[in-house]
Amino acid sequence: MAVTRRLLMAVVGLFSLLVYFTAAYVGYLLLLPVWDSRPSPLMAALVVLGTAIALGVVNYWAATAQLKRSLNAVELPRARAPEAYHRLDALVDQMNVETPTLLLAELPVPNAFAIGGGTGTIVVDRRLFRLLSAAEFEGLLAHELAHLETRDALVQTVAYSFVQTLVGLIGLALFPIVVLTGGIARSLALLRGDPSSWSRSWLGRAQRYSLQVVAGLGFAVTLLLLGYSRRRELAADDRAVEITGNPVGLARALAKIEQASTPDPGLLRQVYVHSEADNELSRLLSTHPPIDERMQRLQDRAQYGNFTKSSERPSSRR
Protein backbone atom coordinates (compact mmCIF):
# COMPACT_ATOMS: atom_id res chain seq x y z
CA MET A 1 0.00 0.00 0.00
CA ALA A 2 2.81 2.38 0.90
CA VAL A 3 4.60 1.54 -2.39
CA THR A 4 1.43 2.25 -4.38
CA ARG A 5 0.90 5.55 -2.58
CA ARG A 6 4.49 6.61 -3.20
CA LEU A 7 4.26 5.61 -6.86
CA LEU A 8 1.05 7.65 -7.20
CA MET A 9 2.72 10.68 -5.63
CA ALA A 10 5.66 10.28 -7.99
CA VAL A 11 3.37 10.19 -11.03
CA VAL A 12 1.48 13.27 -9.80
CA GLY A 13 4.77 15.01 -9.08
CA LEU A 14 6.14 14.22 -12.53
CA PHE A 15 2.94 15.40 -14.20
CA SER A 16 3.00 18.62 -12.13
CA LEU A 17 6.63 19.18 -13.07
CA LEU A 18 5.79 18.85 -16.76
CA VAL A 19 2.87 21.26 -16.38
CA TYR A 20 5.01 23.91 -14.68
CA PHE A 21 7.84 23.62 -17.21
CA THR A 22 5.33 23.80 -20.07
CA ALA A 23 3.71 26.89 -18.55
CA ALA A 24 7.13 28.47 -18.09
CA TYR A 25 8.05 27.78 -21.71
CA VAL A 26 4.76 29.17 -23.04
CA GLY A 27 5.20 32.24 -20.86
CA TYR A 28 8.72 32.67 -22.23
CA LEU A 29 7.42 32.53 -25.83
CA LEU A 30 4.71 35.08 -25.05
CA LEU A 31 7.06 37.48 -23.29
CA LEU A 32 9.84 37.23 -25.88
CA PRO A 33 8.22 39.67 -28.37
CA VAL A 34 7.49 42.08 -25.52
CA TRP A 35 11.11 41.93 -24.38
CA ASP A 36 12.38 42.47 -27.93
CA SER A 37 10.21 45.60 -28.32
CA ARG A 38 10.93 46.94 -24.84
CA PRO A 39 11.52 50.69 -24.52
CA SER A 40 14.74 52.16 -23.23
CA PRO A 41 15.21 52.14 -19.44
CA LEU A 42 14.82 55.93 -19.38
CA MET A 43 11.56 55.83 -21.35
CA ALA A 44 10.22 53.01 -19.18
CA ALA A 45 11.07 54.97 -16.03
CA LEU A 46 9.35 58.09 -17.42
CA VAL A 47 6.23 56.10 -18.31
CA VAL A 48 6.06 54.53 -14.85
CA LEU A 49 6.67 57.87 -13.15
CA GLY A 50 4.13 59.70 -15.31
CA THR A 51 1.50 57.01 -14.79
CA ALA A 52 2.05 57.00 -11.03
CA ILE A 53 1.79 60.79 -10.81
CA ALA A 54 -1.35 60.89 -12.97
CA LEU A 55 -3.02 58.16 -10.93
CA GLY A 56 -2.00 59.89 -7.70
CA VAL A 57 -3.51 63.22 -8.80
CA VAL A 58 -6.73 61.57 -9.99
CA ASN A 59 -7.03 59.55 -6.78
CA TYR A 60 -6.38 62.64 -4.68
CA TRP A 61 -9.01 64.81 -6.30
CA ALA A 62 -11.54 61.96 -6.35
CA ALA A 63 -10.92 61.24 -2.66
CA THR A 64 -11.11 64.96 -1.85
CA ALA A 65 -14.45 65.33 -3.62
CA GLN A 66 -15.81 62.22 -1.89
CA LEU A 67 -14.60 63.50 1.49
CA LYS A 68 -16.33 66.85 0.99
CA ARG A 69 -19.59 65.10 0.14
CA SER A 70 -19.37 62.79 3.13
CA LEU A 71 -18.71 65.59 5.65
CA ASN A 72 -22.06 67.30 5.18
CA ALA A 73 -20.17 70.55 5.79
CA VAL A 74 -21.41 74.07 5.12
CA GLU A 75 -19.41 77.15 4.24
CA LEU A 76 -18.88 79.59 7.09
CA PRO A 77 -20.24 83.04 6.10
CA ARG A 78 -17.95 85.99 6.73
CA ALA A 79 -20.71 87.88 8.49
CA ARG A 80 -21.07 85.08 11.01
CA ALA A 81 -17.38 84.96 12.01
CA PRO A 82 -15.74 88.29 11.11
CA GLU A 83 -12.91 87.87 13.64
CA ALA A 84 -11.97 84.44 12.27
CA TYR A 85 -11.91 85.78 8.71
CA HIS A 86 -9.94 88.84 9.79
CA ARG A 87 -7.23 86.60 11.21
CA LEU A 88 -7.43 84.26 8.21
CA ASP A 89 -6.95 87.16 5.77
CA ALA A 90 -4.00 88.47 7.77
CA LEU A 91 -2.36 85.04 7.66
CA VAL A 92 -3.01 84.60 3.94
CA ASP A 93 -1.36 87.97 3.23
CA GLN A 94 1.86 86.63 4.74
CA MET A 95 1.85 83.22 3.03
CA ASN A 96 2.07 81.85 -0.50
CA VAL A 97 -1.53 80.66 -0.58
CA GLU A 98 -4.88 81.95 -1.75
CA THR A 99 -7.74 82.49 0.68
CA PRO A 100 -9.22 79.04 1.32
CA THR A 101 -12.87 78.17 1.79
CA LEU A 102 -13.79 77.70 5.44
CA LEU A 103 -16.20 74.82 5.98
CA LEU A 104 -18.01 74.02 9.21
CA ALA A 105 -18.57 70.35 10.01
CA GLU A 106 -19.42 68.06 12.87
CA LEU A 107 -16.37 65.82 13.05
CA PRO A 108 -16.03 62.79 15.33
CA VAL A 109 -13.64 64.81 17.51
CA PRO A 110 -12.86 68.54 17.63
CA ASN A 111 -10.31 69.07 14.89
CA ALA A 112 -9.43 70.95 11.73
CA PHE A 113 -7.77 69.82 8.52
CA ALA A 114 -6.86 71.18 5.10
CA ILE A 115 -7.75 69.62 1.77
CA GLY A 116 -6.66 70.75 -1.65
CA GLY A 117 -3.68 72.94 -2.41
CA GLY A 118 -3.11 76.56 -3.32
CA THR A 119 -6.76 77.66 -3.23
CA GLY A 120 -7.94 74.92 -0.92
CA THR A 121 -10.40 74.25 1.84
CA ILE A 122 -10.04 74.20 5.61
CA VAL A 123 -12.61 72.09 7.42
CA VAL A 124 -13.23 73.17 11.02
CA ASP A 125 -15.26 71.40 13.65
CA ARG A 126 -17.95 73.67 15.09
CA ARG A 127 -16.81 73.03 18.67
CA LEU A 128 -13.44 74.69 18.06
CA PHE A 129 -15.03 78.15 18.05
CA ARG A 130 -16.05 77.81 21.67
CA LEU A 131 -13.12 75.60 22.67
CA LEU A 132 -10.25 77.80 21.47
CA SER A 133 -9.34 81.41 22.12
CA ALA A 134 -8.73 83.77 19.19
CA ALA A 135 -4.93 83.36 19.39
CA GLU A 136 -5.21 79.59 19.62
CA PHE A 137 -7.58 79.45 16.65
CA GLU A 138 -5.16 81.65 14.70
CA GLY A 139 -2.30 79.23 15.37
CA LEU A 140 -4.43 76.32 14.19
CA LEU A 141 -5.41 78.20 11.01
CA ALA A 142 -1.75 79.01 10.32
CA HIS A 143 -0.86 75.32 10.69
CA GLU A 144 -3.51 74.28 8.16
CA LEU A 145 -2.53 77.08 5.78
CA ALA A 146 1.03 75.79 5.93
CA HIS A 147 -0.22 72.43 4.64
CA LEU A 148 -2.03 74.19 1.79
CA GLU A 149 1.04 76.29 1.05
CA THR A 150 3.19 73.25 0.34
CA ARG A 151 0.34 71.02 -0.94
CA ASP A 152 1.31 68.35 1.56
CA ALA A 153 -1.75 66.15 1.07
CA LEU A 154 -1.33 66.09 -2.72
CA VAL A 155 2.41 65.39 -2.52
CA GLN A 156 1.92 62.55 -0.07
CA THR A 157 -0.88 61.02 -2.15
CA VAL A 158 1.23 61.13 -5.32
CA ALA A 159 4.23 59.67 -3.44
CA TYR A 160 2.07 56.84 -2.09
CA SER A 161 0.73 56.18 -5.60
CA PHE A 162 4.27 56.00 -6.95
CA VAL A 163 5.30 53.57 -4.22
CA GLN A 164 2.26 51.39 -4.86
CA THR A 165 3.06 51.34 -8.58
CA LEU A 166 6.72 50.51 -7.99
CA VAL A 167 6.03 47.73 -5.49
CA GLY A 168 3.30 46.40 -7.78
CA LEU A 169 5.71 46.23 -10.72
CA ILE A 170 8.30 44.43 -8.61
CA GLY A 171 5.66 42.00 -7.42
CA LEU A 172 4.47 41.48 -11.00
CA ALA A 173 8.03 40.78 -12.16
CA LEU A 174 8.61 38.30 -9.34
CA PHE A 175 5.21 36.59 -9.61
CA PRO A 176 6.15 34.12 -12.41
CA ILE A 177 9.38 33.23 -10.59
CA VAL A 178 7.53 32.73 -7.30
CA VAL A 179 4.91 30.50 -8.90
CA LEU A 180 7.46 28.50 -10.86
CA THR A 181 9.86 27.91 -7.98
CA GLY A 182 7.01 26.97 -5.63
CA GLY A 183 5.50 24.62 -8.20
CA ILE A 184 8.80 22.92 -8.96
CA ALA A 185 9.54 22.57 -5.24
CA ARG A 186 6.16 20.88 -4.64
CA SER A 187 6.58 18.62 -7.67
CA LEU A 188 10.03 17.45 -6.58
CA ALA A 189 8.73 16.86 -3.06
CA LEU A 190 6.01 14.59 -4.51
CA LEU A 191 8.61 12.75 -6.58
CA ARG A 192 10.57 12.11 -3.37
CA GLY A 193 7.42 10.85 -1.66
CA ASP A 194 7.54 13.58 1.00
CA PRO A 195 5.05 16.33 0.02
CA SER A 196 5.66 18.40 3.16
CA SER A 197 9.39 18.76 2.46
CA TRP A 198 8.93 21.27 -0.35
CA SER A 199 9.14 24.28 1.98
CA ARG A 200 12.51 23.09 3.33
CA SER A 201 14.12 22.79 -0.11
CA TRP A 202 16.17 25.61 -1.56
CA LEU A 203 13.44 26.27 -4.12
CA GLY A 204 10.84 26.52 -1.39
CA ARG A 205 13.05 28.88 0.59
CA ALA A 206 13.65 30.96 -2.54
CA GLN A 207 9.90 31.37 -2.98
CA ARG A 208 9.44 32.34 0.66
CA TYR A 209 12.29 34.83 0.57
CA SER A 210 10.94 36.42 -2.63
CA LEU A 211 7.55 36.97 -1.00
CA GLN A 212 9.23 38.36 2.11
CA VAL A 213 11.30 40.77 0.01
CA VAL A 214 8.18 42.19 -1.68
CA ALA A 215 6.28 42.43 1.60
CA GLY A 216 9.27 43.90 3.43
CA LEU A 217 9.88 46.44 0.69
CA GLY A 218 6.26 47.58 0.79
CA PHE A 219 6.31 47.84 4.58
CA ALA A 220 9.63 49.69 4.68
CA VAL A 221 8.53 52.25 2.11
CA THR A 222 5.22 52.70 3.93
CA LEU A 223 7.16 53.47 7.11
CA LEU A 224 9.22 56.04 5.20
CA LEU A 225 6.07 57.72 3.88
CA LEU A 226 4.53 57.79 7.36
CA GLY A 227 7.75 59.28 8.70
CA TYR A 228 7.63 61.93 5.98
CA SER A 229 4.02 62.72 6.94
CA ARG A 230 5.06 63.23 10.56
CA ARG A 231 7.89 65.54 9.51
CA ARG A 232 5.46 67.61 7.46
CA GLU A 233 3.27 68.05 10.54
CA LEU A 234 6.25 69.39 12.47
CA ALA A 235 7.17 71.62 9.52
CA ALA A 236 3.61 73.00 9.49
CA ASP A 237 3.93 73.74 13.21
CA ASP A 238 7.19 75.58 12.55
CA ARG A 239 5.67 77.57 9.69
CA ALA A 240 2.68 78.52 11.85
CA VAL A 241 5.02 79.79 14.57
CA GLU A 242 7.04 81.71 11.98
CA ILE A 243 3.90 83.44 10.74
CA THR A 244 2.11 84.10 14.05
CA GLY A 245 5.12 84.48 16.34
CA ASN A 246 3.06 82.69 19.00
CA PRO A 247 4.16 79.09 19.67
CA VAL A 248 2.26 79.05 22.97
CA GLY A 249 -1.04 79.72 21.19
CA LEU A 250 -0.64 76.71 18.90
CA ALA A 251 0.58 74.55 21.80
CA ARG A 252 -2.50 75.44 23.84
CA ALA A 253 -4.75 74.74 20.86
CA LEU A 254 -3.22 71.28 20.48
CA ALA A 255 -3.58 70.63 24.21
CA LYS A 256 -7.26 71.58 24.21
CA ILE A 257 -7.98 69.49 21.12
CA GLU A 258 -6.18 66.52 22.65
CA GLN A 259 -8.07 66.88 25.92
CA ALA A 260 -11.42 67.20 24.14
CA SER A 261 -10.64 64.20 21.92
CA THR A 262 -9.60 61.84 24.74
CA PRO A 263 -12.39 60.54 26.98
CA ASP A 264 -11.72 60.75 30.69
CA PRO A 265 -11.81 57.21 32.20
CA GLY A 266 -12.61 58.69 35.59
CA LEU A 267 -12.53 56.07 38.36
CA LEU A 268 -11.34 53.46 35.85
CA ARG A 269 -8.09 55.35 35.24
CA GLN A 270 -6.09 53.02 37.51
CA VAL A 271 -7.18 49.83 35.71
CA TYR A 272 -5.86 50.94 32.31
CA VAL A 273 -2.64 49.25 31.23
CA HIS A 274 -0.29 51.20 28.96
CA SER A 275 2.33 49.36 26.90
CA GLU A 276 5.46 51.20 25.83
CA ALA A 277 5.90 48.75 22.95
CA ASP A 278 2.37 49.47 21.74
CA ASN A 279 3.01 53.19 22.02
CA GLU A 280 6.17 52.91 19.94
CA LEU A 281 4.45 50.79 17.30
CA SER A 282 1.53 53.21 17.18
CA ARG A 283 3.97 56.06 16.71
CA LEU A 284 5.69 54.33 13.78
CA LEU A 285 2.35 53.66 12.09
CA SER A 286 0.91 57.12 12.72
CA THR A 287 0.67 59.96 10.21
CA HIS A 288 1.06 62.54 13.00
CA PRO A 289 3.69 62.92 15.73
CA PRO A 290 2.46 62.54 19.32
CA ILE A 291 0.71 65.65 20.58
CA ASP A 292 3.04 65.74 23.60
CA GLU A 293 6.07 65.89 21.32
CA ARG A 294 4.60 68.72 19.27
CA MET A 295 3.63 70.68 22.38
CA GLN A 296 7.09 70.24 23.86
CA ARG A 297 8.73 71.54 20.69
CA LEU A 298 6.46 74.57 20.68
CA GLN A 299 7.05 75.27 24.37
CA ASP A 300 10.81 75.01 23.86
CA ARG A 301 10.63 77.53 21.05
CA ALA A 302 8.64 79.88 23.27
CA GLN A 303 11.10 79.45 26.13
CA TYR A 304 14.23 80.01 24.08
CA GLY A 305 12.73 82.54 21.68
CA ASN A 306 13.58 80.35 18.67
CA PHE A 307 11.10 81.97 16.31
CA THR A 308 10.61 85.10 14.24
CA LYS A 309 7.19 86.51 13.55
CA SER A 310 6.71 86.84 9.83
CA SER A 311 4.92 90.17 10.17
CA GLU A 312 8.18 91.64 11.44
CA ARG A 313 9.74 90.93 8.07
CA PRO A 314 8.71 91.78 4.50
CA SER A 315 5.70 89.78 3.29
CA SER A 316 6.62 86.43 1.74
CA ARG A 317 3.51 86.28 -0.44
CA ARG A 318 4.14 86.35 -4.17
Side-chain angles (χ1 to χ4, degrees):
M1 191 68 177
V3 174
T4 303
R5 179 174 176 274
R6 183 162 185 173
L7 180 61
L8 180 61
M9 285 192 297
V11 171
V12 172
L14 181 60
F15 177 74
S16 299
L17 198 60
L18 291 175
V19 169
Y20 278 109
F21 275 123
T22 302
Y25 182 68
V26 171
Y28 167 77
L29 293 179
L30 293 175
L31 290 176
L32 193 58
V34 178
W35 178 258
D36 290 338
S37 60
R38 68 190 184 278
S40 65
L42 178 59
M43 180 59 66
L46 291 175
V47 169
V48 171
L49 181 61
T51 301
I53 291 176
L55 289 176
V57 172
V58 171
N59 289 337
Y60 175 75
W61 290 117
T64 298
Q66 182 180 1
L67 178 61
K68 286 183 178 180
R69 290 193 300 268
S70 66
L71 287 173
N72 194 26
V74 296
E75 185 172 352
L76 177 64
R78 281 185 171 267
R80 184 178 171 185
E83 177 63 22
Y85 273 101
H86 172 73
R87 290 179 180 270
L88 176 65
D89 292 338
L91 292 171
V92 167
D93 286 339
Q94 301 174 70
M95 303 177 72
N96 299 322
V97 63
E98 300 298 325
T99 302
T101 302
L102 276 185
L103 295 183
L104 280 181
E106 294 183 3
L107 304 176
V109 296
N111 206 346
F113 59 88
I115 50 180
T119 305
T121 301
I122 296 180
V123 181
V124 180
D125 185 82
R126 298 175 183 272
R127 289 163 289 185
L128 291 180
F129 284 93
R130 64 173 181 269
L131 186 66
L132 304 181
S133 68
E136 293 162 357
F137 189 75
E138 181 184 50
L140 191 62
L141 282 179
H143 174 93
E144 300 306 332
L145 286 171
H147 283 307
L148 292 178
E149 191 177 39
T150 52
R151 292 177 168 82
D152 285 337
L154 176 60
V155 171
Q156 291 174 34
T157 303
V158 171
Y160 186 70
S161 174
F162 175 74
V163 168
Q164 280 187 315
T165 302
L166 184 61
V167 174
L169 288 175
I170 295 175
L172 185 63
L174 290 178
F175 179 75
I177 301 174
V178 169
V179 173
L180 183 61
T181 54
I184 293 175
R186 287 180 172 85
S187 300
L188 294 177
L190 287 170
L191 282 172
R192 293 193 299 268
D194 187 8
S196 63
S197 66
W198 76 271
S199 61
R200 299 190 297 272
S201 65
W202 69 270
L203 286 173
R205 291 195 298 271
Q207 182 196 51
R208 185 168 63 254
Y209 293 153
S210 299
L211 293 174
Q212 290 175 350
V213 165
V214 175
L217 178 63
F219 184 69
V221 176
T222 299
L223 289 181
L224 289 176
L225 290 177
L226 291 173
Y228 173 77
S229 176
R230 292 192 294 271
R231 288 195 297 274
R232 292 312 307 160
E233 289 299 321
L234 297 178
D237 286 347
D238 293 340
R239 179 62 169 153
V241 171
E242 177 188 357
I243 294 298
T244 64
N246 185 11
V248 175
L250 180 56
R252 288 175 176 170
L254 295 176
K256 289 182 178 180
I257 291 174
E258 173 74 2
Q259 184 177 9
S261 304
T262 306
D264 186 358
L267 296 177
L268 297 178
R269 185 184 305 276
Q270 299 302 324
V271 303
Y272 278 77
V273 177
H274 303 280
S275 170
E276 293 299 330
D278 290 343
N279 291 340
E280 184 63 27
L281 179 61
S282 299
R283 177 174 178 173
L284 286 175
L285 299 178
S286 175
T287 58
H288 286 58
I291 291 291
D292 291 344
E293 177 184 330
R294 295 172 64 185
M295 290 171 54
Q296 186 61 54
R297 292 179 76 254
L298 293 168
Q299 290 166 0
D300 289 344
R301 295 192 67 175
Q303 179 179 358
Y304 297 107
N306 186 21
F307 61 90
T308 302
K309 186 174 180 179
S310 182
S311 60
E312 297 174 356
R313 300 173 301 144
S315 173
S316 61
R317 189 179 181 188
R318 292 190 295 268

